[in-house]
Amino acid sequence: MRTQVAIIGAGPAGLLLSHLLAQGGVSSVVLETRSEEYVAARIRAGILEHSSVELLESAGLGDRIRKEGDHHRGIYLQWPGERHHLDFVNLVGRSVWVYGQTEVQKDLVAARTAETYYDISDTSLHDVSDKPFVTFTDKSGKSQRLDCDVIAGCDGSFGPSRHAVPAAKVFEKTYPYSWFGILADVAPSTDELIYAWHPNGFALHSMRSATVSRLYLQVPNGTDPESWSDDRIWEELATRLGHGQNGWKLTPGPITDKSVLPMRSYVQTPMRHGNLYLAGDAAHIVPPTGAKGLNLAIADVALLSKALIALINEKNPALADRYSDDAQRRVWRCTHFSWWMTTMLHTSGDPFDAELQLSQLRWVANSEAGATGLAENYAGLPIGY
Ligand code: FAS
Ligand code: PHB
């Protein structure tokens, strides 16, 4: 088999890249180790930043976001006795949308035109510096070879592509806590997200729709989600989110999904080696506190698609040669912001840290300069920043 771009991974990065390349007249084949159903059902990100919505709309993928997404002007920052709304539209003229990654994935699958092989195994990258090809075993057990001009590694944090970049420089930080996430069939108790600092630990009230809430609790690493009863989960969420504070109430409901997500920062550079380009989680991981994971994948692909269309259609390598440096500016901006939000809101048990965190929260909530800094990063800088 031959194609112009072999894309490894059918998550948001891989499918969006394939879509944008097709719009630019470049052919691709997508290779995915999981089933289509498995990929579609993964519960992950929930927030689309301003630039992501603009890009998806420009690619003809914005209809459902506008119809079914929930447009948010900002977020609430909360700590015991206080809750402050940060209005991003007033502060920086940009906003965010609550639209689950599962919905983005659905839209990408519905718009897909490239041949996609699901349930493959033994993915292997070859000759990435000269005449690249990918070998794999297809779901019938047949060995396959896909020759191409370019390989796009969109295979997330456990795929083979990041390891095909020789002498890559890796920056990594793990955090001493995890997120315990739940989905619940209950209307959200808030109109916009609440990020709460509490001596017991961080909590986040997010949502997926008018009838489905998404909430998170900071827990120790290694926490078993089954070790917490539903009652204990709701009691702890109520405590940390300020139930009863100024008349606000957290309404519990049936929990339909529980998972524990470890938190880490990971950046690999460069994001290109020869004819191999990395995009999304294959090159970087951020703690979810800044709601940047999915948005960074989209931003990488916005740059990579333009670079590959120019390289393949016009034999112009200029954007491809700059891709890694251009992408890494935003990667580090989002890595810093995700670290900043995480260390500001998650308790360590150290009283000195707690005072620093509360001072920073009071400054961000009450100073226009502080609030603008958070708003600019959370709503997202223009792509190409
Ligand atoms: P993905 O991981 O989505 O996709 C990579 C694809 O490559 C996968 O489908 C995988 O099966 C496939 N693949 C792997 N190895 C392969 C191989 N050898 N051959 C072929 N295919 C292979 N971000 C947020 O902003 N907010 C959140 O709340 C949030 N929660 C998350 C929860 C979890 C459990 C995880 C893991 C991530 C979460 N993220 C969150 C981050 C997440 O949204 C990612 O940023 C986003 O999925 C990145 O998209 P991709 O780069 O496409 O990677
Ligand atoms: C989510 O809704 O899953 C979500 C929202 C904001 C975050 C992280 C996750 O910072």
Side-chain angles (χ1 to χ4, degrees), residues 8-14 31-34 39 42 44-45 101 120 123 154-156 158-160 216 261 279-281 288 291-294 297:
I8 304 178
L31 305 174
E32 169 58 53
T33 192
R34 296 285 190 165
V39 178
R42 275 189 310 223
R44 288 188 168 171
Q101 181 169 328
I120 73 166
T123 315
C154 300
D155 45 353
F158 302 106
Y216 298 92
L261 169 69
D281 278 17
K292 288 299 165 200
L294 172 59

PDB file of all heavy atoms in Angstrom, residues 8-14 31-34 39 42 44-45 101 120 123 154-156 158-160 216 261 279-281 288 291-294 297, ligand 1:
ATOM      1  N   ILE A   8      -0.320   7.498  12.416  1.00  0.00           N
ATOM      2  CA  ILE A   8      -0.447   6.451  13.443  1.00  0.00           C
ATOM      3  C   ILE A   8      -1.264   7.035  14.593  1.00  0.00           C
ATOM      4  O   ILE A   8      -0.853   8.015  15.224  1.00  0.00           O
ATOM      5  CB  ILE A   8       0.931   5.985  13.951  1.00  0.00           C
ATOM      6  CG1 ILE A   8       1.795   5.502  12.775  1.00  0.00           C
ATOM      7  CG2 ILE A   8       0.758   4.838  14.959  1.00  0.00           C
ATOM      8  CD1 ILE A   8       3.190   5.069  13.175  1.00  0.00           C
ATOM      9  N   GLY A   9      -2.446   6.459  14.827  1.00  0.00           N
ATOM     10  CA  GLY A   9      -3.328   6.929  15.903  1.00  0.00           C
ATOM     11  C   GLY A   9      -4.586   7.574  15.345  1.00  0.00           C
ATOM     12  O   GLY A   9      -4.515   8.492  14.537  1.00  0.00           O
ATOM     13  N   ALA A  10      -5.745   7.092  15.800  1.00  0.00           N
ATOM     14  CA  ALA A  10      -7.050   7.638  15.342  1.00  0.00           C
ATOM     15  C   ALA A  10      -7.743   8.359  16.488  1.00  0.00           C
ATOM     16  O   ALA A  10      -8.973   8.347  16.605  1.00  0.00           O
ATOM     17  CB  ALA A  10      -7.935   6.514  14.811  1.00  0.00           C
ATOM     18  N   GLY A  11      -6.959   8.988  17.349  1.00  0.00           N
ATOM     19  CA  GLY A  11      -7.543   9.881  18.362  1.00  0.00           C
ATOM     20  C   GLY A  11      -7.797  11.234  17.714  1.00  0.00           C
ATOM     21  O   GLY A  11      -7.748  11.359  16.470  1.00  0.00           O
ATOM     22  N   PRO A  12      -8.057  12.276  18.489  1.00  0.00           N
ATOM     23  CA  PRO A  12      -8.354  13.578  17.887  1.00  0.00           C
ATOM     24  C   PRO A  12      -7.218  14.112  17.020  1.00  0.00           C
ATOM     25  O   PRO A  12      -7.469  14.671  15.955  1.00  0.00           O
ATOM     26  CB  PRO A  12      -8.608  14.479  19.091  1.00  0.00           C
ATOM     27  CG  PRO A  12      -8.283  13.706  20.300  1.00  0.00           C
ATOM     28  CD  PRO A  12      -8.229  12.265  19.939  1.00  0.00           C
ATOM     29  N   ALA A  13      -5.971  13.922  17.437  1.00  0.00           N
ATOM     30  CA  ALA A  13      -4.861  14.458  16.623  1.00  0.00           C
ATOM     31  C   ALA A  13      -4.819  13.766  15.260  1.00  0.00           C
ATOM     32  O   ALA A  13      -4.760  14.426  14.213  1.00  0.00           O
ATOM     33  CB  ALA A  13      -3.534  14.288  17.365  1.00  0.00           C
ATOM     34  N   GLY A  14      -4.869  12.438  15.267  1.00  0.00           N
ATOM     35  CA  GLY A  14      -4.754  11.702  14.014  1.00  0.00           C
ATOM     36  C   GLY A  14      -5.912  11.955  13.068  1.00  0.00           C
ATOM     37  O   GLY A  14      -5.710  12.222  11.870  1.00  0.00           O
ATOM     38  N   LEU A  31      -3.862   4.533  11.019  1.00  0.00           N
ATOM     39  CA  LEU A  31      -3.648   3.210  11.618  1.00  0.00           C
ATOM     40  C   LEU A  31      -3.921   3.301  13.116  1.00  0.00           C
ATOM     41  O   LEU A  31      -3.359   4.149  13.801  1.00  0.00           O
ATOM     42  CB  LEU A  31      -2.201   2.769  11.384  1.00  0.00           C
ATOM     43  CG  LEU A  31      -1.724   2.766   9.932  1.00  0.00           C
ATOM     44  CD1 LEU A  31      -0.225   2.442   9.863  1.00  0.00           C
ATOM     45  CD2 LEU A  31      -2.530   1.780   9.081  1.00  0.00           C
ATOM     46  N   GLU A  32      -4.797   2.434  13.630  1.00  0.00           N
ATOM     47  CA  GLU A  32      -5.238   2.520  15.036  1.00  0.00           C
ATOM     48  C   GLU A  32      -5.232   1.133  15.677  1.00  0.00           C
ATOM     49  O   GLU A  32      -5.789   0.180  15.133  1.00  0.00           O
ATOM     50  CB  GLU A  32      -6.628   3.137  15.087  1.00  0.00           C
ATOM     51  CG  GLU A  32      -7.340   3.049  16.432  1.00  0.00           C
ATOM     52  CD  GLU A  32      -6.570   3.703  17.592  1.00  0.00           C
ATOM     53  OE1 GLU A  32      -6.178   4.875  17.479  1.00  0.00           O
ATOM     54  OE2 GLU A  32      -6.347   2.999  18.603  1.00  0.00           O
ATOM     55  N   THR A  33      -4.649   1.073  16.863  1.00  0.00           N
ATOM     56  CA  THR A  33      -4.500  -0.230  17.525  1.00  0.00           C
ATOM     57  C   THR A  33      -5.776  -0.694  18.229  1.00  0.00           C
ATOM     58  O   THR A  33      -5.993  -1.881  18.421  1.00  0.00           O
ATOM     59  CB  THR A  33      -3.334  -0.158  18.543  1.00  0.00           C
ATOM     60  OG1 THR A  33      -3.002  -1.465  18.987  1.00  0.00           O
ATOM     61  CG2 THR A  33      -3.690   0.705  19.736  1.00  0.00           C
ATOM     62  N   ARG A  34      -6.620   0.263  18.618  1.00  0.00           N
ATOM     63  CA  ARG A  34      -7.870  -0.080  19.318  1.00  0.00           C
ATOM     64  C   ARG A  34      -9.011  -0.193  18.308  1.00  0.00           C
ATOM     65  O   ARG A  34      -8.852   0.136  17.136  1.00  0.00           O
ATOM     66  CB  ARG A  34      -8.196   1.015  20.337  1.00  0.00           C
ATOM     67  CG  ARG A  34      -7.168   1.167  21.471  1.00  0.00           C
ATOM     68  CD  ARG A  34      -7.288   0.057  22.471  1.00  0.00           C
ATOM     69  NE  ARG A  34      -6.494   0.295  23.675  1.00  0.00           N
ATOM     70  CZ  ARG A  34      -6.642  -0.382  24.804  1.00  0.00           C
ATOM     71  NH1 ARG A  34      -7.558  -1.326  24.866  1.00  0.00           N
ATOM     72  NH2 ARG A  34      -5.904  -0.137  25.861  1.00  0.00           N
ATOM     73  N   VAL A  39     -12.207   3.674  20.942  1.00  0.00           N
ATOM     74  CA  VAL A  39     -11.683   5.048  20.836  1.00  0.00           C
ATOM     75  C   VAL A  39     -12.817   6.051  21.030  1.00  0.00           C
ATOM     76  O   VAL A  39     -12.678   7.043  21.730  1.00  0.00           O
ATOM     77  CB  VAL A  39     -10.995   5.270  19.480  1.00  0.00           C
ATOM     78  CG1 VAL A  39     -10.490   6.712  19.360  1.00  0.00           C
ATOM     79  CG2 VAL A  39      -9.825   4.304  19.307  1.00  0.00           C
ATOM     80  N   ARG A  42     -13.926   6.568  24.864  1.00  0.00           N
ATOM     81  CA  ARG A  42     -13.001   7.040  25.913  1.00  0.00           C
ATOM     82  C   ARG A  42     -13.459   8.386  26.450  1.00  0.00           C
ATOM     83  O   ARG A  42     -13.649   9.348  25.694  1.00  0.00           O
ATOM     84  CB  ARG A  42     -11.586   7.191  25.335  1.00  0.00           C
ATOM     85  CG  ARG A  42     -10.789   5.917  25.341  1.00  0.00           C
ATOM     86  CD  ARG A  42      -9.344   6.171  24.970  1.00  0.00           C
ATOM     87  NE  ARG A  42      -9.209   6.946  23.755  1.00  0.00           N
ATOM     88  CZ  ARG A  42      -8.322   6.668  22.795  1.00  0.00           C
ATOM     89  NH1 ARG A  42      -7.523   5.618  22.931  1.00  0.00           N
ATOM     90  NH2 ARG A  42      -8.207   7.411  21.727  1.00  0.00           N
ATOM     91  N   ARG A  44     -12.603  11.647  28.147  1.00  0.00           N
ATOM     92  CA  ARG A  44     -11.395  12.438  28.398  1.00  0.00           C
ATOM     93  C   ARG A  44     -11.740  13.914  28.546  1.00  0.00           C
ATOM     94  O   ARG A  44     -12.448  14.302  29.445  1.00  0.00           O
ATOM     95  CB  ARG A  44     -10.365  12.163  27.303  1.00  0.00           C
ATOM     96  CG  ARG A  44      -9.753  10.770  27.442  1.00  0.00           C
ATOM     97  CD  ARG A  44      -8.627  10.586  26.497  1.00  0.00           C
ATOM     98  NE  ARG A  44      -7.849   9.404  26.787  1.00  0.00           N
ATOM     99  CZ  ARG A  44      -6.912   8.945  25.969  1.00  0.00           C
ATOM    100  NH1 ARG A  44      -6.666   9.585  24.831  1.00  0.00           N
ATOM    101  NH2 ARG A  44      -6.216   7.873  26.266  1.00  0.00           N
ATOM    102  N   ALA A  45     -11.203  14.733  27.664  1.00  0.00           N
ATOM    103  CA  ALA A  45     -11.278  16.184  27.862  1.00  0.00           C
ATOM    104  C   ALA A  45     -12.707  16.708  27.740  1.00  0.00           C
ATOM    105  O   ALA A  45     -13.574  16.041  27.176  1.00  0.00           O
ATOM    106  CB  ALA A  45     -10.393  16.869  26.823  1.00  0.00           C
ATOM    107  N   GLN A 101     -14.594  15.544  24.607  1.00  0.00           N
ATOM    108  CA  GLN A 101     -13.723  14.959  23.579  1.00  0.00           C
ATOM    109  C   GLN A 101     -14.441  13.836  22.824  1.00  0.00           C
ATOM    110  O   GLN A 101     -14.203  13.613  21.631  1.00  0.00           O
ATOM    111  CB  GLN A 101     -12.439  14.428  24.231  1.00  0.00           C
ATOM    112  CG  GLN A 101     -11.469  13.827  23.231  1.00  0.00           C
ATOM    113  CD  GLN A 101     -10.110  13.562  23.840  1.00  0.00           C
ATOM    114  OE1 GLN A 101      -9.643  14.267  24.727  1.00  0.00           O
ATOM    115  NE2 GLN A 101      -9.439  12.540  23.355  1.00  0.00           N
ATOM    116  N   ILE A 120      -5.366  -2.831  14.751  1.00  0.00           N
ATOM    117  CA  ILE A 120      -4.091  -3.353  14.227  1.00  0.00           C
ATOM    118  C   ILE A 120      -3.160  -3.684  15.399  1.00  0.00           C
ATOM    119  O   ILE A 120      -3.413  -3.323  16.550  1.00  0.00           O
ATOM    120  CB  ILE A 120      -3.398  -2.349  13.276  1.00  0.00           C
ATOM    121  CG1 ILE A 120      -2.808  -1.181  14.056  1.00  0.00           C
ATOM    122  CG2 ILE A 120      -4.346  -1.883  12.184  1.00  0.00           C
ATOM    123  CD1 ILE A 120      -1.828  -0.341  13.247  1.00  0.00           C
ATOM    124  N   THR A 123       2.623  -2.365  15.231  1.00  0.00           N
ATOM    125  CA  THR A 123       2.968  -1.168  14.450  1.00  0.00           C
ATOM    126  C   THR A 123       4.459  -0.902  14.558  1.00  0.00           C
ATOM    127  O   THR A 123       5.009  -0.899  15.669  1.00  0.00           O
ATOM    128  CB  THR A 123       2.237   0.059  15.024  1.00  0.00           C
ATOM    129  OG1 THR A 123       0.882  -0.282  15.273  1.00  0.00           O
ATOM    130  CG2 THR A 123       2.311   1.241  14.069  1.00  0.00           C
ATOM    131  N   CYS A 154       0.747  10.240  15.771  1.00  0.00           N
ATOM    132  CA  CYS A 154      -0.357  10.819  16.592  1.00  0.00           C
ATOM    133  C   CYS A 154      -0.852   9.749  17.546  1.00  0.00           C
ATOM    134  O   CYS A 154      -2.050   9.606  17.807  1.00  0.00           O
ATOM    135  CB  CYS A 154      -1.484  11.286  15.689  1.00  0.00           C
ATOM    136  SG  CYS A 154      -1.006  12.551  14.497  1.00  0.00           S
ATOM    137  N   ASP A 155       0.109   8.947  18.061  1.00  0.00           N
ATOM    138  CA  ASP A 155      -0.248   7.723  18.787  1.00  0.00           C
ATOM    139  C   ASP A 155      -0.177   7.881  20.301  1.00  0.00           C
ATOM    140  O   ASP A 155       0.053   6.913  21.025  1.00  0.00           O
ATOM    141  CB  ASP A 155       0.609   6.549  18.310  1.00  0.00           C
ATOM    142  CG  ASP A 155       2.091   6.919  18.173  1.00  0.00           C
ATOM    143  OD1 ASP A 155       2.424   8.115  18.313  1.00  0.00           O
ATOM    144  OD2 ASP A 155       2.902   6.025  17.931  1.00  0.00           O
ATOM    145  N   GLY A 156      -0.319   9.114  20.793  1.00  0.00           N
ATOM    146  CA  GLY A 156      -0.480   9.328  22.222  1.00  0.00           C
ATOM    147  C   GLY A 156       0.741   8.951  23.041  1.00  0.00           C
ATOM    148  O   GLY A 156       1.833   8.750  22.526  1.00  0.00           O
ATOM    149  N   PHE A 158       1.488   6.332  24.757  1.00  0.00           N
ATOM    150  CA  PHE A 158       1.968   4.943  24.854  1.00  0.00           C
ATOM    151  C   PHE A 158       2.313   4.359  23.480  1.00  0.00           C
ATOM    152  O   PHE A 158       2.544   3.171  23.334  1.00  0.00           O
ATOM    153  CB  PHE A 158       0.905   4.068  25.539  1.00  0.00           C
ATOM    154  CG  PHE A 158       0.535   4.564  26.916  1.00  0.00           C
ATOM    155  CD1 PHE A 158      -0.668   5.198  27.153  1.00  0.00           C
ATOM    156  CD2 PHE A 158       1.448   4.461  27.968  1.00  0.00           C
ATOM    157  CE1 PHE A 158      -0.999   5.681  28.418  1.00  0.00           C
ATOM    158  CE2 PHE A 158       1.124   4.949  29.239  1.00  0.00           C
ATOM    159  CZ  PHE A 158      -0.102   5.569  29.464  1.00  0.00           C
ATOM    160  N   GLY A 159       2.311   5.211  22.447  1.00  0.00           N
ATOM    161  CA  GLY A 159       2.576   4.701  21.104  1.00  0.00           C
ATOM    162  C   GLY A 159       4.059   4.616  20.803  1.00  0.00           C
ATOM    163  O   GLY A 159       4.903   5.090  21.584  1.00  0.00           O
ATOM    164  N   PRO A 160       4.409   4.041  19.644  1.00  0.00           N
ATOM    165  CA  PRO A 160       5.818   3.843  19.278  1.00  0.00           C
ATOM    166  C   PRO A 160       6.498   5.084  18.701  1.00  0.00           C
ATOM    167  O   PRO A 160       7.724   5.180  18.692  1.00  0.00           O
ATOM    168  CB  PRO A 160       5.728   2.748  18.214  1.00  0.00           C
ATOM    169  CG  PRO A 160       4.376   2.923  17.602  1.00  0.00           C
ATOM    170  CD  PRO A 160       3.487   3.405  18.710  1.00  0.00           C
ATOM    171  N   TYR A 216     -14.337  16.188  39.730  1.00  0.00           N
ATOM    172  CA  TYR A 216     -13.032  15.593  40.059  1.00  0.00           C
ATOM    173  C   TYR A 216     -12.648  15.951  41.492  1.00  0.00           C
ATOM    174  O   TYR A 216     -12.983  17.040  41.982  1.00  0.00           O
ATOM    175  CB  TYR A 216     -11.941  16.152  39.136  1.00  0.00           C
ATOM    176  CG  TYR A 216     -12.120  15.864  37.659  1.00  0.00           C
ATOM    177  CD1 TYR A 216     -12.783  16.765  36.833  1.00  0.00           C
ATOM    178  CD2 TYR A 216     -11.607  14.698  37.086  1.00  0.00           C
ATOM    179  CE1 TYR A 216     -12.929  16.515  35.470  1.00  0.00           C
ATOM    180  CE2 TYR A 216     -11.756  14.436  35.719  1.00  0.00           C
ATOM    181  CZ  TYR A 216     -12.411  15.354  34.929  1.00  0.00           C
ATOM    182  OH  TYR A 216     -12.553  15.097  33.576  1.00  0.00           O
ATOM    183  N   LEU A 261      -6.997   9.351  37.446  1.00  0.00           N
ATOM    184  CA  LEU A 261      -6.038   9.772  36.406  1.00  0.00           C
ATOM    185  C   LEU A 261      -4.780  10.331  37.076  1.00  0.00           C
ATOM    186  O   LEU A 261      -4.842  11.351  37.764  1.00  0.00           O
ATOM    187  CB  LEU A 261      -6.690  10.869  35.553  1.00  0.00           C
ATOM    188  CG  LEU A 261      -5.805  11.643  34.577  1.00  0.00           C
ATOM    189  CD1 LEU A 261      -5.363  10.749  33.431  1.00  0.00           C
ATOM    190  CD2 LEU A 261      -6.573  12.847  34.018  1.00  0.00           C
ATOM    191  N   ALA A 279       2.642  14.752  16.886  1.00  0.00           N
ATOM    192  CA  ALA A 279       1.599  15.732  17.246  1.00  0.00           C
ATOM    193  C   ALA A 279       0.759  15.172  18.394  1.00  0.00           C
ATOM    194  O   ALA A 279       0.557  13.957  18.492  1.00  0.00           O
ATOM    195  CB  ALA A 279       0.707  16.033  16.049  1.00  0.00           C
ATOM    196  N   GLY A 280       0.318  16.080  19.276  1.00  0.00           N
ATOM    197  CA  GLY A 280      -0.547  15.678  20.384  1.00  0.00           C
ATOM    198  C   GLY A 280       0.205  14.979  21.493  1.00  0.00           C
ATOM    199  O   GLY A 280       1.391  15.218  21.712  1.00  0.00           O
ATOM    200  N   ASP A 281      -0.511  14.072  22.175  1.00  0.00           N
ATOM    201  CA  ASP A 281       0.070  13.417  23.354  1.00  0.00           C
ATOM    202  C   ASP A 281       1.311  12.603  23.039  1.00  0.00           C
ATOM    203  O   ASP A 281       2.066  12.256  23.947  1.00  0.00           O
ATOM    204  CB  ASP A 281      -0.980  12.504  24.022  1.00  0.00           C
ATOM    205  CG  ASP A 281      -1.924  13.268  24.925  1.00  0.00           C
ATOM    206  OD1 ASP A 281      -1.982  14.512  24.800  1.00  0.00           O
ATOM    207  OD2 ASP A 281      -2.595  12.625  25.739  1.00  0.00           O
ATOM    208  N   PRO A 288      -4.396  17.818  33.688  1.00  0.00           N
ATOM    209  CA  PRO A 288      -5.651  18.331  33.114  1.00  0.00           C
ATOM    210  C   PRO A 288      -6.171  19.621  33.756  1.00  0.00           C
ATOM    211  O   PRO A 288      -7.139  20.193  33.284  1.00  0.00           O
ATOM    212  CB  PRO A 288      -6.633  17.183  33.322  1.00  0.00           C
ATOM    213  CG  PRO A 288      -6.057  16.367  34.402  1.00  0.00           C
ATOM    214  CD  PRO A 288      -4.576  16.532  34.336  1.00  0.00           C
ATOM    215  N   ALA A 291      -6.975  22.328  31.385  1.00  0.00           N
ATOM    216  CA  ALA A 291      -7.851  21.936  30.254  1.00  0.00           C
ATOM    217  C   ALA A 291      -7.143  22.150  28.922  1.00  0.00           C
ATOM    218  O   ALA A 291      -7.703  22.702  27.970  1.00  0.00           O
ATOM    219  CB  ALA A 291      -9.146  22.737  30.293  1.00  0.00           C
ATOM    220  N   LYS A 292      -5.869  21.706  28.836  1.00  0.00           N
ATOM    221  CA  LYS A 292      -5.048  21.988  27.659  1.00  0.00           C
ATOM    222  C   LYS A 292      -4.748  20.763  26.787  1.00  0.00           C
ATOM    223  O   LYS A 292      -4.327  20.929  25.641  1.00  0.00           O
ATOM    224  CB  LYS A 292      -3.716  22.615  28.093  1.00  0.00           C
ATOM    225  CG  LYS A 292      -3.868  24.038  28.586  1.00  0.00           C
ATOM    226  CD  LYS A 292      -4.426  24.944  27.517  1.00  0.00           C
ATOM    227  CE  LYS A 292      -4.927  26.253  28.075  1.00  0.00           C
ATOM    228  NZ  LYS A 292      -5.859  26.913  27.165  1.00  0.00           N
ATOM    229  N   GLY A 293      -4.909  19.543  27.291  1.00  0.00           N
ATOM    230  CA  GLY A 293      -4.447  18.364  26.551  1.00  0.00           C
ATOM    231  C   GLY A 293      -5.008  18.301  25.149  1.00  0.00           C
ATOM    232  O   GLY A 293      -4.264  18.348  24.153  1.00  0.00           O
ATOM    233  N   LEU A 294      -6.295  18.257  25.040  1.00  0.00           N
ATOM    234  CA  LEU A 294      -6.940  18.150  23.722  1.00  0.00           C
ATOM    235  C   LEU A 294      -6.648  19.397  22.893  1.00  0.00           C
ATOM    236  O   LEU A 294      -6.341  19.324  21.690  1.00  0.00           O
ATOM    237  CB  LEU A 294      -8.442  17.982  23.913  1.00  0.00           C
ATOM    238  CG  LEU A 294      -9.307  18.046  22.658  1.00  0.00           C
ATOM    239  CD1 LEU A 294      -8.905  16.969  21.665  1.00  0.00           C
ATOM    240  CD2 LEU A 294     -10.767  17.899  23.045  1.00  0.00           C
ATOM    241  N   ALA A 297      -3.284  19.318  21.279  1.00  0.00           N
ATOM    242  CA  ALA A 297      -3.260  18.390  20.135  1.00  0.00           C
ATOM    243  C   ALA A 297      -3.829  19.077  18.893  1.00  0.00           C
ATOM    244  O   ALA A 297      -3.266  18.983  17.791  1.00  0.00           O
ATOM    245  CB  ALA A 297      -4.062  17.137  20.479  1.00  0.00           C
TER     246      ALA A 297
HETATM  247  P1  FAS B   1      -4.840  10.058  22.064  1.00  0.00           P
HETATM  248  O1  FAS B   1      -4.172   9.295  23.169  1.00  0.00           O
HETATM  249  O2  FAS B   1      -6.233  10.552  22.252  1.00  0.00           O
HETATM  250  O3  FAS B   1      -4.883   9.151  20.741  1.00  0.00           O
HETATM  251  C1  FAS B   1      -3.760   8.345  20.389  1.00  0.00           C
HETATM  252  C2  FAS B   1      -4.292   7.123  19.655  1.00  0.00           C
HETATM  253  O4  FAS B   1      -3.173   6.349  19.198  1.00  0.00           O
HETATM  254  C3  FAS B   1      -5.117   6.228  20.573  1.00  0.00           C
HETATM  255  O5  FAS B   1      -6.386   5.979  20.024  1.00  0.00           O
HETATM  256  C4  FAS B   1      -4.278   4.954  20.692  1.00  0.00           C
HETATM  257  O6  FAS B   1      -5.065   3.786  20.780  1.00  0.00           O
HETATM  258  C5  FAS B   1      -3.488   4.982  19.379  1.00  0.00           C
HETATM  259  N1  FAS B   1      -2.258   4.196  19.434  1.00  0.00           N
HETATM  260  C6  FAS B   1      -1.419   4.043  20.480  1.00  0.00           C
HETATM  261  N2  FAS B   1      -0.423   3.183  20.164  1.00  0.00           N
HETATM  262  C7  FAS B   1      -0.645   2.790  18.889  1.00  0.00           C
HETATM  263  C8  FAS B   1       0.024   1.905  17.998  1.00  0.00           C
HETATM  264  N3  FAS B   1       1.116   1.225  18.388  1.00  0.00           N
HETATM  265  N4  FAS B   1      -0.479   1.732  16.750  1.00  0.00           N
HETATM  266  C9  FAS B   1      -1.603   2.383  16.365  1.00  0.00           C
HETATM  267  N5  FAS B   1      -2.298   3.227  17.165  1.00  0.00           N
HETATM  268  C10 FAS B   1      -1.810   3.415  18.409  1.00  0.00           C
HETATM  269  N6  FAS B   1      -7.258  16.486  28.514  1.00  0.00           N
HETATM  270  C11 FAS B   1      -7.979  17.532  28.945  1.00  0.00           C
HETATM  271  O7  FAS B   1      -7.819  18.639  28.403  1.00  0.00           O
HETATM  272  N7  FAS B   1      -8.899  17.394  29.963  1.00  0.00           N
HETATM  273  C12 FAS B   1      -9.133  16.188  30.573  1.00  0.00           C
HETATM  274  O8  FAS B   1      -9.943  16.083  31.491  1.00  0.00           O
HETATM  275  C13 FAS B   1      -8.404  15.060  30.141  1.00  0.00           C
HETATM  276  N8  FAS B   1      -8.628  13.841  30.698  1.00  0.00           N
HETATM  277  C14 FAS B   1      -7.874  12.781  30.284  1.00  0.00           C
HETATM  278  C15 FAS B   1      -8.075  11.497  30.846  1.00  0.00           C
HETATM  279  C16 FAS B   1      -7.283  10.425  30.447  1.00  0.00           C
HETATM  280  C17 FAS B   1      -7.489   9.056  31.078  1.00  0.00           C
HETATM  281  C18 FAS B   1      -6.277  10.605  29.474  1.00  0.00           C
HETATM  282  C19 FAS B   1      -5.365   9.462  29.064  1.00  0.00           C
HETATM  283  C20 FAS B   1      -6.086  11.855  28.892  1.00  0.00           C
HETATM  284  C21 FAS B   1      -6.902  12.949  29.288  1.00  0.00           C
HETATM  285  N9  FAS B   1      -6.742  14.204  28.700  1.00  0.00           N
HETATM  286  C22 FAS B   1      -7.458  15.266  29.100  1.00  0.00           C
HETATM  287  C23 FAS B   1      -5.797  14.419  27.645  1.00  0.00           C
HETATM  288  C24 FAS B   1      -6.410  13.922  26.363  1.00  0.00           C
HETATM  289  O9  FAS B   1      -7.601  14.607  26.103  1.00  0.00           O
HETATM  290  C25 FAS B   1      -5.380  14.077  25.283  1.00  0.00           C
HETATM  291  O10 FAS B   1      -4.763  15.346  25.342  1.00  0.00           O
HETATM  292  C26 FAS B   1      -5.929  13.853  23.886  1.00  0.00           C
HETATM  293  O11 FAS B   1      -6.566  12.607  23.860  1.00  0.00           O
HETATM  294  C27 FAS B   1      -4.754  13.929  22.906  1.00  0.00           C
HETATM  295  O12 FAS B   1      -5.167  13.435  21.690  1.00  0.00           O
HETATM  296  P2  FAS B   1      -4.152  12.550  20.816  1.00  0.00           P
HETATM  297  O13 FAS B   1      -2.849  13.236  20.749  1.00  0.00           O
HETATM  298  O14 FAS B   1      -4.895  12.201  19.587  1.00  0.00           O
HETATM  299  O15 FAS B   1      -3.859  11.242  21.691  1.00  0.00           O
END
